[in-house]
Amino acid sequence: MNTGDLGLPVDVPSTALFTDQYELTMLQAALAAGTAERRSVFEVFTRRLPEGRRYGVVAGTGRVLDAVENFRFDADVLGFLRERRIVDEPTLEWLATYRFGGEVWGYPEGEVYFPGSPILRVEGSFAECVLLETVILSILNHDSAIAAAASRMSSAAGDRPLIEMGARRTHELAAVAAARAAYVGGFTTTSDLAAGFRYGIPTVGTSAHAFTLLHDHERDAFQAQVNSLGRGTTLLVDTYDVAEAVRMAVEVAGTGLGAVRIDSGDLLLVAHRVRQQLDELGATGTKIIVTSDLDEYAIASLAAAPVDAYGVGTQLVTGSGHPTCSMVYKLVARAESADPKAPLVAVAKKSSGGKTSIGGRKWAARRLDERGAAEAEVIGTGPVPGELADRQLLVELIKGGQVVAREPLDVVRDRHAAARANLPLSATQLSRGEPVLPTEYV
């Protein structure tokens, strides 16, 4: 098949090949051995947070639900597997009717997590669960990394809005997912129209330096933009001389000019000078938007500056130095046989080098202190202590193969804001530190 025929859609018709080959070769061997139908429990977790981070953010759950629903081996996909001799004919026949029919529980999207948190639990036959490993990790590792960076940035920004504008700094489809994750983490708008179309995220954008350079004079560019977009538009003022551009911007648009954008230079110094100039010109309501390779540290350094909004690109879509969360998908329990009534046996990886796992199907709860603030992430495999019964974190996402927990993105965004607010104050410190909550196993 010519892969060019697939195009580059925002939604893909099948997610079945968003996987590693060994998922399918394991399936083939398990089918031949008679172990493929053993009931199994897989869990997604991370052994540690990225260095210096104090909490993680669960993001991408909604995309995982879509991916599981669309995990189908159609004729073209099966033809590719057959042509490459990746698996044998009995396995291809099994894949042709594949539909995930198990259960998925997980932390609700937007919730925070810590080392060891069972972020997602996938239950079903070994065959149906093992195939989902790569696509689930691909989504959660990417989206959670972006959301964590976004959360740190939105915390640093306080009440000032954040614009996601990193589409040009990453893969075109990753950009859509990144905009979604950034919105979960606290960003308010995106410049990416595909993200607006797919997820309903508010979109913004006006002009770049190329528009100014197109015209014979900067004034002509400003006039053309105001004529087209109105006086409430945002004019980019750092193509040439900032002070002169601000003066012309107010002359052209009047004191009702919506905003000016600064994309270079010493942003702290320039923002103070521009604010003073705007006020002196009578444009006291004109806002100042700053861009230019911002991260959470740069945003925090501008807290005292007269800045009204931030635009963030590269550092956001690359996770501000941590583009993955190092989540893993491990088998933690499996049945003794293919008999549906066979009891589950806890299993765990015991290798050296810190890559061990803890066996058993887990629950998780967040213990609160006397003031109602979170004080510990508690994880166990046995009965849930009574005092934690109403503090359990995992919710049912898929039941009998059917998605049961889709929710609007704004609900997810609000959940994250509430979860972060419930953490100790040190969670929002940008200085390096340990996870803000300890993980306790019972």
Side-chain angles (χ1 to χ4, degrees), residues 39 68 98-103 123-124 128 398-402:
R39 183 159 184 83
V68 172
Y98 176 84
R99 298 291 185 274
F100 179 74
E103 284 72 46
E123 300 189 36
E128 63 184 334
I398 295 178
K399 181 177 182 180
Q402 301 299 312

Side-chain angles (χ1 to χ4, degrees), residues 8-9 28 31 35 94 103 109 136 195 217 222 225-226 306 313 319 354 398:
L8 291 172
Q28 176 178 308
L31 288 171
T35 53
W94 190 94
E103 284 72 46
E109 188 166 15
I136 285 175
H217 303 285
F222 289 171
Q225 185 174 328
V226 169
I398 295 178

Side-chain angles (χ1 to χ4, degrees), residues 115-168:
S117 296
I119 295 162
L120 201 73
R121 189 175 72 215
V122 182
E123 300 189 36
S125 71
F126 176 84
E128 63 184 334
C129 295
V130 74
L131 295 180
L132 300 176
E133 174 180 4
T134 302
V135 70
I136 285 175
L137 289 179
S138 176
I139 293 171
L140 292 180
N141 268 314
H142 174 270
D143 289 24
S144 296
I146 305 306
S151 179
R152 286 163 60 86
M153 293 174 188
S154 66
S155 178
D159 294 333
R160 297 171 178 176
L162 289 157
I163 307 164
E164 185 283 314
M165 48 195 308
R168 64 191 60 200

Side-chain angles (χ1 to χ4, degrees), residues 15-89:
T15 53
L17 293 184
F18 289 173
T19 191
D20 292 304
Q21 181 167 315
Y22 78 170
E23 314 291 7
L24 299 188
T25 53
M26 279 193 288
L27 169 65
Q28 176 178 308
L31 288 171
T35 53
E37 295 306 317
R38 288 187 175 186
R39 183 159 184 83
S40 300
V41 181
F42 286 83
E43 289 176 352
V44 175
F45 63 93
T46 184
R47 297 182 176 94
R48 65 192 64 85
L49 297 179
E51 184 181 357
R53 296 287 171 87
R54 297 174 183 258
Y55 62 92
V57 180
V58 179
T61 308
R63 297 207 308 119
V64 166
L65 300 180
D66 292 341
V68 172
E69 276 196 333
N70 292 324
F71 207 91
R72 305 283 188 268
F73 292 84
D74 58 24
D76 287 336
V77 170
L78 292 169
F80 165 78
L81 297 175
R82 180 177 289 108
E83 178 184 345
R84 296 291 183 93
R85 299 182 181 275
I86 290 172
V87 291
D88 59 19
E89 282 299 323

Side-chain angles (χ1 to χ4, degrees), residues 16 21 48 60 62 66 79-80 93 118 132 193 198 212 234 257 274 289 294 300 307 310 315 332 350 354 400 414:
Q21 181 167 315
R48 65 192 64 85
D66 292 341
F80 165 78
E93 291 177 11
L132 300 176
L193 290 177
R198 176 69 180 85
T212 300
T234 299
L257 173 63
V274 168
I289 300 171
L294 298 177
V307 171
Y310 306 93
Q315 291 301 317
V332 297
K350 299 297 184 183
D414 291 344

Side-chain angles (χ1 to χ4, degrees), residues 293-371:
D293 292 326
L294 298 177
D295 61 11
E296 60 265 49
Y297 301 101
I299 291 169
S301 73
L302 292 168
V307 171
D308 298 285
Y310 306 93
V312 189
T314 303
Q315 291 301 317
L316 175 66
V317 298
T318 57
S320 194
H322 298 290
T324 181
C325 302
S326 299
M327 292 179 186
V328 294
Y329 183 95
K330 297 299 180 184
L331 182 67
V332 297
R334 51 86 175 167
E336 294 179 338
S337 70
D339 185 340
K341 297 181 180 179
L344 289 174
V345 177
V347 295
K349 184 177 178 180
K350 299 297 184 183
S351 58
S352 61
K355 299 184 77 172
T356 60
S357 59
I358 299 174
R361 179 201 280 125
K362 298 171 195 66
W363 53 263
R366 191 159 297 146
R367 192 173 68 238
L368 307 181
D369 63 18
E370 64 277 5
R371 298 180 302 276

Side-chain angles (χ1 to χ4, degrees), residues 191 204-208 211 225 229-230 232-236 259-261 289:
S191 65
V204 294
T206 51
S207 67
F211 186 76
Q225 185 174 328
L229 302 179
T233 191
T234 299
L235 296 177
L236 182 59
V260 295
R261 178 162 74 95
I289 300 171

